[in-house]
Amino acid sequence: MSFWSKIGRLFTVDDSIMDEDFSLLDDGQEQNDQSMKGTDDNSGGRKSDRTNDNSTKIGKSDDPGETQQNESRTKKLKTIKPRKLISPTKRIPFYAIHIRSRQAPTDDQTNSTVPEKLSKDLQVNRDTVRQIFHLPTNADVIIRDFTISETVTCKAFAVFMEGMSDKEIINSHVLQPLMILSSLSPDEQVEDRLHTVKEKLLPGNQVMEYDKWEDVRKNILSGSTAVFIDGAEKALIVETKGWEQRGVGETKTETVVRGPHDAFTENLRANTGLVRSRIRTEKLITEMMQVGELAPTDVAVMYVKSIVNPRLVEEVKRRIKAIKVDFLQDSGILEQFIEDPPKGLIPRMLATERPDRVAASLSEGFVAVFVGQSPYVLILPTVIWSLIHTAEDAYLRYPFGSLIRIIRFSALLAALLLPSLYIAITNYHPEMIPTDLMLAIAAARERVPFPVVLEVLLMELSLELIREAGIRIPNVIGPTIGIVGALILGQAAVQAGIISPLLVIVVAVTALSAFTMPNYNFGFAIRSLRFLFILLAAMWGFYGITLGILVLLMHFATLKSFGVPMLSPVAPHKPSSPDILLRGPVFKQEKRPASLFTQDAKRQRHFTRPWDPTVRDSEEAQKANSESVKGGNGGD
Amino acid sequence: MIKTGHLGKYEVFALVVISAVADMFLSVPQGFSIYGASAAWMIPFLSMIFCLGIWQMIVPVLAKRRNKDIMSLTEQYLGKWGTATAVLVVAVMLLVDTASTLRIFTETVVATVLPKTPISVVAVPFLLVLIYYAYWGIEGISRVSWFLMPWLLLGVALLLVLNINWINLEYIFPLWGQGFTKLMWSGWFATGVFKNILFISFLSSLLRQPEDVRKIGFWSIITVGTAYTLVTLAFIMVFSPEAAMRSHFPLYQLGRLIYIGRFIQRLEAGFIFIWAAMALIELAFELWLLTYLTGWVFRMPVNRPLVFPFAAMIYAMSFLARNFSEMLVINSQILLKWKWVIDIVLPLLVLLWVRFRSGKGERDHEQTAQVT
Amino acid sequence: MSKLRKLLSMVLVLMLVLPITGCYDLMELEGMAFIVSLGIDKAPENMIDVTARIAVPRKLSAGPGGGGGGGGKDEVVGGAKPVTVRAHTVLEALNLLNTSVERRVSLIHLANIVIGESLAKEGVLEYLRPLTRYREFRRTIVVFIAPGNVREIYESNKPLLEQSITRWTESLTDVNRHTGLSAMQKLHDFISSIEAYNEDAIASVLAVNEKVKEQTKQEKKGSEGQRIDADGKPNFNPGEVERLGGNPLEFLGTAVFHQDRLVTYLDGIDTRMLLTIRGELLRTQMDFPDPINKDRYVNLEIKHARKPIIKVDLKKRPIKVRIEESLEADLNGVQRPTDYSRPDRIRLLEKSVSERLKNRQEKLVSRIFHEYQADPFDIMKRTRNQFRTYQDLKSFDFRKVLKDAEITVDVKLNIRRIGIQLSPIESH
């Protein structure tokens, strides 16, 4: 059976990736497709065949029908490849694991006995807290017992996490008012105490009541203080978050000369605040959700409600919610969970540390995703062009913006192709070099014992080595080592006759070009692809490079980032603002990216400078126009 | 129904233009100069005019019926079997054409830039890329072609402009070449290079706005005609018609001749990018179309699995000819001379038939529909 | 099969296969010997002597530590002595060259080709045909015709300035465009002219000046005091320029072909006339006899005002050729203190010069047409537009009508500027 299914699999073509990809087009335009799909029974049958096939391959399921149902229900949400979770020896049906992993926290024996709701009895509550947080083993959780007011002794205790909550706030805004300044009237009902405390005694800016342990637990874990009062079935949660963190610092990787210098930091709310302070509109929405089953991480999805395509927000949330992972560390990890197929080296979303860039993107209709303590925010979807843009392009006047973009684009080509072109020319097409230069290269190469390919590879590898070492070496000696590595090594290698001097120039230019890539991930992609091109050039010269470029282009053309083709608006062609390769004047940036299908396609009015007398719609022109109209009317 | 995705008008335009123009890097201009001598440049020009007329005749059928391409139209009026035969004939033509182009292309690569490499080492990676392209489908191919088209045209223009110092105006005389009537006939035969007409009629249903088909057709015919005219003109003026008849792959020869001072010379290897890209797009598109047509005829739900067997067939067929010159003879004597029957006459007849059969009433109805 | 295993096996297969499949054409620069100049000369029994000059890789600038085998300046250009082999064809000769040259011989950096007179007289196409098919050989190289032995040309070539033959060739092209003393032709033009109907090819001439060669030999021996011939006159014939010192090789004059056979040479002045008729004259300085002061000369810098108009009446027998030239000139130098800035004098000078040009050109064209039935002037090429169809052109035997063609040349000269001095300096 398994053999034949494997054979059958060879003849089954997995078209589902291409058929089911997500598109931002609204349903009206997609109607044709839908009707096609609807009428086509065969393709539906094929799909279910495929899923069946898949499941049998992974492990024999006890109930195929159920698997299929389960499969079809979670098909859209499935992001984890079930295969990876399975160790081949156990052969557990993957859906079982799926369910188990979802239930894992509740299965835990300590939590299983935790009651759902709070009890009236303070002591019971105290025990439950101790049980939940594994006291006294866990030293981070502090329980502070105290008594409210002197007239009526009302026992209470506060629970907070050491290190995650602000001691100042707890002392002066929770404990002090409750213990010293408070007085509960004796004739008050026990049930109303909680209310009174909340209304009169706790001056904290956010105080909430919860009666479920689940909520209380989450809030304590995120740094709030929970106040339990004797006789109350609810706990008061006072917002006392405040852990040690870096302040808003300077940009580290996306520095600009002209433009703001602040960068995101390791604090989610500070990050969202940085963006919100730039886009001050009530339409800017921040949706919070949590990812992670062992320990949840906050994920914030931010967008401008009146602009963004609602389908895009839905899709982003759908993908984030579907992530089933125990712990999510960083936006770099979230990125890998939600990026579109097919696999490739090019990043499908833009990670930036610049709040201004996020703000600009949000205003264009993009969605930003903030992850927990990550100082990098994801902007999605993204197109390839924006991976080589910087924030500064827009802040400079447009001729200079265009100039640096041209330089950067040439740098992109150089970083990708220069070493391979060198190999192709010297090894396959030496006629292209002017004769004198060719003779000089040949003379320099006469002492070199390696073929050009090896020479290039050696240099490229040592360069990557210097680069990697430069990052790892402690800051104090970093620059020195860089100089030692780059200069001395290069010089010595040339003098020793291991490499030819011209190659040092080629490799150095390539390295410089690679450093101009503004996006870290994209730079990585380019650097890795460079080696591929070196290989191709070594085998087929220009012909190989050409084929490589064409494959890469096709790859780019089929890449999608959240339903947006990554080469758009060039291919597929969409009307767009002059902001692709060159930077047009800012008053011509009228359209939002058409491939996002935003609710409002126009970014600004056609005439942004009505004061300018040379503009057709200027104030003067309008005045003159209205006067002439008036005059005409008067004449009549 | 095979799912292909939708195509924008610019992408389709670029795709059909490149697929039709790619042949000019191979032996087509040489064929023109054999038939037209000093007037060879007029042949594509005349063909262009013929094709514009033909397009004017058939375009209403395609433009007015939303979401119908030539195949579904034919089926509607010609029946299942008639359509299947017609489509299969086209498929066979495509197969032969693709195989011969693949052979000529790889032979050209071997002859020019990789002389010592065995032909299979050149052909196999190309075939793999071809499969990759055809496998990912028409959407990707069309996007790549639109992305590349400006650069490719720029490269061709550069190739012609950099040869300006070799140009001899006298070589376009005698003006009428082999004689006026012969010229007209050659012009008619050469309509076979305007493959774009056939291609558009197959792709019309994939357009987002089927009305765009009219514009795409006209502009692609004009672009293809102009490109062929200019290239042939430059070829003749640089090489003299006498020499042009004796030299295949003209654009490579033009590339070799570039000599503008000490630095701008010997650039022909750089131009390989242009002709390899064009050939790849053309062949990938033809391979895809082949699978699409076959899948359509046999009511297959998907066309992707067909890519592999067809690629293998093309590879095998491309090596049927014993040597390069035999392939060239086949190409210029048979394909170039008779391709017009399928490229032009077939869609013309079929669409005219549809036009007449659909009757006047329906046309009136459509016109009113269009007005509203 | 797991993904990793699949990937690993693919990498393995690639690693095994790639070195076998690829790299057929890979060649390292230092593994090749680039021929920069190729000479072909006649040898007995349909064989040829092929002389090749191979470029020797050398540093662009020798650093203090580097260098090594730099060699003295006296050494022949390019570093290596030319190698000559005898073979049936050029390509065979390349193979034979490799019996003594230790690196792969390649023609891709070829800059010029020198064809011996004896071979050129029998027809060059036979030897060029295989080369035009060969991919390493390109049509942008310069063609030289060498009266005498080709090997001698290579041995006596000692450029004053240039060190590489490629640059030397390029510089020659540039210089000759400005002097107009030699019509440099690229191989493509040369072959096209042979191949196309109604034209003939030309090529520039490289000749060894025996006197200078002798003199340099003497100098090497140590004997000084060579003087120029007492009764020598300025001479524009290839290989006969009156001079001492410099490169024993002279680049002067033009070879005229009939089909693919060399028929005659033109000297420097005639080459200028040829270029004037072809419309390829750049600003060229020429000396003319002073119309007022006999035995003295004026120097003019001449260029085309517009391309010459050539009218050929093919209907008449004999055919009538009329060449209308319109030239512009700057007055550069006048020996005598005659004031040529006066309008009447200018007119006089214009008339005398154009008369002289006209006579010389008429004589030249008639001589070449009548004597050799060759048309290096591109005159008949411009009659192509008089044929309606290609068949007419093909069947037209232009050489027959050249025999008794009647040529009239009409030169309009306009001296526009008179240099930077108005009236001449006079001594008192």
Side-chain angles (χ1 to χ4, degrees), chain A residues 431-449:
Chain A
E431 71 271 14
M432 288 186 80
I433 323 170
T435 310
D436 298 322
L437 181 60
M438 186 273 302
L439 291 177
I441 298 173
R445 289 219 12 97
E446 271 175 347
R447 294 170 61 212
V448 177

Side-chain angles (χ1 to χ4, degrees), chain B residues 91-134:
Chain B
V92 168
M93 191 277 293
L94 278 176
L95 194 65
V96 173
D97 193 41
T98 315
S100 89
T101 313
L102 177 69
R103 175 68 181 272
I104 293 179
F105 172 78
T106 43
E107 289 281 3
T108 312
V109 171
V110 170
T112 53
V113 287
L114 295 170
K116 295 183 186 75
T117 311
I119 187 159
S120 59
V121 178
V122 172
V124 167
F126 190 77
L127 196 76
L128 290 179
V129 179
L130 214 58
I131 290 172
Y132 178 74
Y133 264 58

Side-chain angles (χ1 to χ4, degrees), chain A residues 419 422-423 426-427 433 437-460 489-508, chain C residues 28-30 59:
Chain A
Y422 177 76
I423 292 174
T426 50
N427 275 346
I433 323 170
L437 181 60
M438 186 273 302
L439 291 177
I441 298 173
R445 289 219 12 97
E446 271 175 347
R447 294 170 61 212
V448 177
F450 309 117
V452 173
V453 188
L454 201 61
E455 209 184 346
V456 170
L457 279 179
L458 268 179
M459 273 313 273
E460 286 292 335
L489 201 67
Q491 179 70 18
V494 170
Q495 282 198 337
I498 294 173
I499 51 165
S500 57
L502 196 85
L503 187 78
V504 179
I505 300 174
V506 170
V507 171
Chain C
E28 300 290 342
L29 280 183
E30 69 276 14
K59 293 243 157 75

Side-chain angles (χ1 to χ4, degrees), chain B residues 168-181:
Chain B
N168 274 299
L169 213 60
E170 284 85 11
Y171 287 151
I172 61 167
F173 298 115
L175 194 64
W176 295 111
Q178 309 273 31
F180 187 72
T181 41

Side-chain angles (χ1 to χ4, degrees), chain A residues 139-420:
Chain A
D140 276 350
V141 182
I142 311 290
I143 299 182
R144 171 73 166 86
D145 298 293
F146 58 90
T147 315
I148 306 176
S149 90
E150 288 151 10
T151 48
V152 189
T153 47
C154 172
K155 284 213 175 275
F157 69 91
V159 185
F160 57 90
M161 295 290 267
E162 172 76 37
M164 285 192 66
S165 41
D166 192 332
K167 282 176 194 141
E168 272 300 305
I169 300 178
I170 295 175
N171 287 345
S172 58
H173 293 81
V174 180
L175 298 178
Q176 198 178 6
L178 288 179
M179 291 167 72
I180 301 169
L181 308 173
S182 66
S183 54
L184 286 174
S185 57
D187 49 314
E188 203 168 5
Q189 292 291 314
V190 180
E191 288 78 25
D192 290 340
R193 277 183 196 157
L194 183 91
H195 195 66
T196 318
V197 168
K198 187 187 174 192
E199 298 276 293
K200 293 187 181 161
L201 296 180
L202 278 180
N205 60 359
Q206 287 180 38
V207 180
M208 286 152 296
E209 297 172 28
Y210 286 110
D211 60 351
K212 283 189 184 153
W213 277 113
E214 181 64 27
D215 299 323
V216 173
R217 182 175 66 94
K218 266 189 194 166
N219 277 295
I220 292 173
L221 282 174
S222 60
S224 298
T225 303
V227 179
F228 296 81
I229 300 167
D230 193 18
E233 266 182 318
K234 290 177 180 173
L236 287 176
I237 303 293
V238 188
E239 212 281 327
T240 57
K241 291 192 190 85
W243 51 84
E244 291 303 317
Q245 68 202 23
R246 198 163 57 95
V248 171
E250 294 232 344
T251 45
K252 285 266 164 58
T253 57
E254 291 172 83
T255 42
V256 296
V257 176
R258 178 86 191 262
H261 295 284
D262 56 344
F264 288 123
T265 178
E266 287 84 1
N267 180 354
L268 180 70
R269 297 320 307 209
N271 290 350
T272 53
L274 279 173
V275 174
R276 190 170 280 280
S277 67
R278 283 182 164 79
I279 306 189
R280 278 180 264 172
T281 166
E282 72 285 358
K283 285 161 190 154
L284 180 68
I285 309 283
T286 310
E287 283 191 49
M288 297 291 281
M289 50 187 83
Q290 292 187 323
V291 174
E293 285 160 2
L294 171 73
T297 305
D298 289 332
V299 174
V301 177
M302 202 184 235
Y303 54 91
V304 179
K305 181 125 190 155
S306 59
I307 296 170
V308 75
N309 186 333
R311 286 170 67 99
L312 175 64
V313 180
E314 271 318 300
E315 177 71 12
V316 173
K317 288 197 287 189
R318 188 178 75 93
R319 289 191 192 177
I320 294 175
K321 277 179 192 155
I323 298 174
K324 295 282 171 271
V325 68
D326 58 345
F327 177 50
L328 187 76
Q329 292 105 307
D330 192 81
S331 59
I333 291 173
L334 182 82
E335 183 180 343
Q336 300 174 50
F337 275 118
I338 59 175
E339 70 182 7
D340 302 52
K343 293 190 184 69
L345 297 173
I346 305 297
R348 307 307 146 76
M349 48 207 86
L350 185 78
T352 181
E353 58 165 0
R354 297 187 61 84
D356 56 329
R357 201 156 182 203
V358 174
S361 303
L362 287 175
S363 76
E364 286 186 331
F366 289 88
V367 171
V369 174
F370 298 71
V371 178
Q373 322 294 86
S374 171
Y376 280 88
V377 173
L378 300 174
I379 298 173
L380 39 96
T382 189
V383 291
I384 283 178
W385 314 111
S386 48
L387 293 174
I388 52 171
H389 292 173
T390 67
E392 198 172 12
D393 302 349
Y395 300 143
L396 292 174
R397 297 180 58 222
Y398 69 91
F400 315 125
S402 299
L403 183 71
I404 56 175
R405 275 199 191 163
I406 291 173
I407 290 171
R408 215 176 301 125
F409 193 71
S410 336
L412 167 71
L413 292 181
L416 192 63
L417 295 176
L418 200 59
S420 51

